[in-house]
Each structure stands twice: as structure tokens, then as C-alpha cells.
Amino acid sequence: MVDLTTVKTSNTNLPSHLTAVFVGGTSGIGLYTLLALARHCAHPTIYFIGRSQPAADRILTDLRTLNPNGTYKFIPSDVALIKNVDAVCEEIKRDEKYINILVQSQGTMSTGQETAENMHATASLVLHSRMRFQLNLLPLLQAAPGLKRVVSIFTGTKEGPITATELQMRSLRNPLKARGQAASAVTLLLEEAQRRAKDVGFVHTYPGFVSTGIGRDFGMVARMVAKVAETVVRPWLYVPEEESGERNLWLATSGRFAAEEGDKGVDAAVGTDGKVGSGVYTVDEKGESGGEAVLKVLQELREQKKDEWVWDEIRKELVRITGKESL
Ligand SMILES: NC(=O)c1ccc[n+]([C@@H]2O[C@H](COP(=O)([O-])OP(=O)(O)OC[C@H]3O[C@@H](n4cnc5c(N)ncnc54)[C@H](OP(=O)(O)O)[C@@H]3O)[C@@H](O)[C@H]2O)c1
Ligand SMILES: *[C@@H]1O[C@H](CO)[C@@H](O)[C@H](O)[C@H]1NC(C)=O
């Protein structure tokens, strides 16, 4: 476990100017991370994306109090739609020459919702939408002075075998199996992005249990059960909101998760290929890299060429929807 003091010490020594994009910054872990950045960076420029304008209005008010020296911009968008992802990225590219940090936490626990682009929203948000953002914004990340980092908040270190024949996973009823496959796909897609940008660091993290808005799409009974469980187990199991924000900010800024090329921290973490400082990291709620079992799952997937298959499945959908050949 990387202790909270280490995390906080690192966070209090951030560069004075950082530009960051938070997709899913209107609620939950993305929001806690965004607030941590506004607390610790003297002059942050922060873009955040989500659908809820009322949530964004409250957050903008809080941010201006928290750090009046920051520049804050909310872009309202339903990013389960790939065409909207492209529009959001165009808007950011119009205004910024570079970004240092891309944090993605868009997701939903509800299943069965189809988007107007014929996608399963649950899968689209975690896989297609996130891959589109990270590829579209790679040039801005590569143009950044100093820190260049992508963080995907989902289920790092929970990687499992991929048995599904399609990545929308509409028919996968066993949530644990679905999680293992989706986790692997997220990590393999970060590796795919890294092949295009060795000077950017990539982190897939599992945030632990965190009290957020993620249960809002459940039925009322399930919500009540979750609420009771949370109240009872909270002190033992739950990562407090502020700590969650600090830990994810650390993943987004610490030299431990350095890019393959460029300055290496003295204590770089082990990457997804088992090598120290190799640029793509799958990390648990304690800040530790996935161990041997996780690396073995990933290695087997690469040997089965599942990495190529995953990217191919995603690319086909991106091309179908946008009509543009994908990067
Ligand atoms: N909380 C946990 O204990 C936990 C544990 C393990 C993994 N995770 C994973 O961590 C990630 C973040 O979860 P969270 O708990 O922070 O959830 P959350 O509180 O529900 O936040 C999700 C964020 O995604 C945004 N979002 C969802 N659908 C969107 C859409 N169609 N278009 C644009 N934005 C959208 C939401 O914004 P709007 O509502 O404004 O659209 C919100 O900002 C998820 O992938 C989740 O599976 C969470
Ligand atoms: C805003 O930035 C200026 C210049 O760096 C600094 O002097 C001032 O203390 C900052 N204000 C706040 C509230 O942090």
C-alpha cells in the first residue's frame, strides 16, 4: 500500500501550471480528482465533461472559491456517442495548444441502454468513448511541456480472460466475467494508444469502493441495499472521497507512472509488460501495480493476439460511426 502521506507529499509539489481534461468530472471519482487538482495546483486549467448542467454549475461555484486562480470550463455532452466525443475534442483543440492530463471516468452500472449510434452504452462509455478521447487528444498531450499522462478509472488489476465474441458484451450476464474482459480491454487499449505515443504515461486504475453517484441508475431496492451496506461497511471498506481524489491525482501526476520515453522517476512502477517504467500501468486501489497473476493474464491475451482483436473491434465501430478511417 502506498501510504497517503507519500501521495499527499507528491501532490503538494505539483507544477504551478497544469492543463487537464476530466471526462466524467461532474460526479464521483472524476470529480474528487478534479477538486484535488484545483486544491494543489496554483494555476490549473480544467475542462470537465458530463451531461448534468446543474451539477456543473455547483462545481464551477465551488471551484472558484477553492482556487480563484484557476480557469474552469464545463463542456456538456453525452459522450456515449462517438460523434459527440469528436465534437468535444475539437472544442478543446480550438482553445488549447496542449494538455498535460486526461482523466477518464465516464461509466454507468446500468446495462441494456442502446445509443443512437447502435452501441451498448455501458460498453461504449468504458471502451469506445475512452479510446476515441485518448487517440483524439494524443497530439495535445504530446505537445505538453513536462507532464503527459492519461488515467482511466475503471478496474485496473482485475484483468481476466477474453472469451466474448463481441466487445459490446450485450449478452454477457455474469458481471464478474464481464468485468474481467472489460478490464483487459481497457488495459490493452491503453497499450495500443501508447504504441502511438511513447512519451505519454498511461494508467488504468481500480479506485476501490468509493461513495459516488454510480448507483443512481439502479432500482430503488438495490439502491437501498447499497446504501445500508455502505453505511455499515464504510469505515472498513470504503475509500473516503477526499482520499480517493488525492490518490487519483497522484496517479495522474507522480513520476512513478512515467512514460517509457523521457524523464524517469527514481522509483518508477512496474508496467503491464513486467518491466520497470515501461509507460502503461495497471494499478489497484492501494497504488500498487498488478502482480504476476495479472501480468500473466495480459501476456496470454497478447499471445492469443487478443490485443489486436480488441483494437480491431473498436476501430470497426469507430469507422462505422464516424465514416473516418481511424488513427
Ligand atoms: N464508485 C466505485 O466504488 C467504483 C468502483 C470500481 C470502479 N468504478 C468505476 O469508476 C468509474 C467512475 O465511477 P464513479 O463511481 O465515479 O461514477 P459516477 O459518480 O456515476 O460518475 C460517472 C461520471 O461519468 C459521467 N457520465 C456517465 N455517463 C455519461 C455520458 N453518457 N456522457 C457523459 N458523461 C457521462 C457522469 O456525468 P453526468 O451524470 O453528468 O453525465 C459522471 O461525471 C466507472 O467506470 C465505475 O465503473 C467505481
Ligand atoms: C493567485 O495567484 C497570485 C500570483 O501567483 C498569488 O499571489 C495569489 O496568492 C493567488 N491567490 C490565491 C487565492 O491563491
Side-chain angles (χ1 to χ4, degrees):
M1 171 106 161
V2 177
D3 64 272
L4 194 54
T5 313
T6 306
V7 166
K8 284 189 166 168
T9 305
S10 171
N11 288 346
T12 49
N13 288 297
L14 296 185
S16 63
H17 291 75
L18 287 172
T19 300
V21 174
F22 291 85
V23 190
T26 52
S27 168
I29 300 156
L31 171 60
Y32 309 149
T33 309
L34 179 165
L35 293 173
L37 178 64
R39 262 197 309 276
H40 290 301
C41 180
H43 299 273
T45 299
I46 296 179
Y47 287 82
F48 64 109
I49 295 119
R51 290 161 303 174
S52 173
Q53 187 69 52
D57 291 340
R58 279 194 305 274
I59 294 162
L60 285 168
T61 307
D62 290 350
L63 283 170
R64 285 172 191 135
T65 315
L66 187 63
N67 183 347
N69 278 335
T71 304
Y72 309 110
K73 185 161 187 201
F74 173 60
I75 306 180
S77 184
D78 178 350
V79 298
L81 293 168
I82 302 305
K83 285 188 176 154
N84 289 350
V85 174
D86 284 358
V88 169
C89 293
E90 280 312 310
E91 189 171 337
I92 296 169
K93 282 182 185 171
R94 264 202 308 276
D95 292 346
E96 300 296 331
K97 291 198 170 51
Y98 68 83
I99 64 172
N100 299 101
I101 302 167
L102 168 64
V103 176
Q104 303 206 74
S105 63
Q106 66 270 42
T108 172
M109 294 279 272
S110 82
T111 55
Q113 270 172 275
E114 295 289 315
T115 74
E117 293 172 339
N118 296 320
M119 303 277 278
H120 186 200
T122 321
S124 177
L125 283 167
V126 169
L127 301 176
H128 309 75
S129 171
R130 292 189 187 197
M131 188 57 170
R132 191 67 170 185
F133 267 108
Q134 77 216 7
L135 291 181
N136 282 351
L137 295 178
L138 270 189
L140 286 191
L141 284 156
Q142 292 192 281
L147 182 65
K148 306 167 181 55
R149 185 77 46 86
V150 173
V151 176
S152 205
I153 298 169
F154 184 55
T155 49
T157 71
K158 309 293 181 192
E159 286 85 350
I162 296 181
T163 55
T165 52
E166 50 94 24
L167 271 176
Q168 307 260 336
M169 294 185 269
R170 291 184 174 99
S171 59
L172 214 61
R173 294 272 176 258
N174 178 339
L176 269 182
K177 265 195 184 157
R179 183 177 80 165
Q181 302 203 154
S184 290
V186 167
T187 300
L188 294 173
L189 289 168
L190 290 181
E191 291 182 358
E192 183 63 38
Q194 194 228 15
R195 283 192 260 284
R196 295 156 172 72
K198 298 280 187 190
D199 51 345
V200 177
F202 295 85
V203 181
H204 175 197
T205 180
Y206 171 69
F209 289 111
V210 188
S211 180
T212 67
I214 195 84
R216 75 173 89 67
D217 296 328
F218 284 149
M220 198 176 62
V221 174
R223 266 206 313 277
M224 276 165 60
V225 172
K227 204 73 215 164
V228 170
E230 190 186 313
T231 317
V232 177
V233 300
R234 190 182 176 110
W236 295 282
L237 262 185
Y238 273 74
V239 181
E241 294 166 18
E242 191 173 315
E243 174 169 343
S244 177
E246 294 284 340
R247 287 190 176 275
N248 285 292
L249 176 64
W250 176 74
L251 297 175
T253 54
S254 164
R256 194 171 296 202
F257 307 100
E260 183 176 347
E261 286 170 7
D263 287 346
K264 280 278 177 297
V266 275
D267 56 353
V270 173
T272 53
D273 60 356
K275 298 192 185 110
V276 171
S278 53
V280 184
Y281 308 88
T282 183
V283 179
D284 67 15
E285 72 277 26
K286 301 184 173 91
E288 303 286 359
S289 288
E292 261 170 53
V294 174
L295 298 183
K296 186 158 170 275
V297 167
L298 289 167
Q299 185 50 33
E300 281 169 6
L301 289 171
R302 290 184 208 103
E303 280 160 15
Q304 298 160 7
K305 301 216 181 296
K306 291 284 185 181
D307 51 349
E308 290 171 24
W309 177 77
V310 166
W311 169 225
D312 211 49
E313 288 286 301
I314 301 289
R315 180 167 48 194
K316 271 190 281 193
E317 300 283 12
L318 298 179
V319 172
R320 172 183 65 79
I321 292 166
T322 62
K324 287 179 239 162
E325 225 7 86
S326 207
L327 319 110

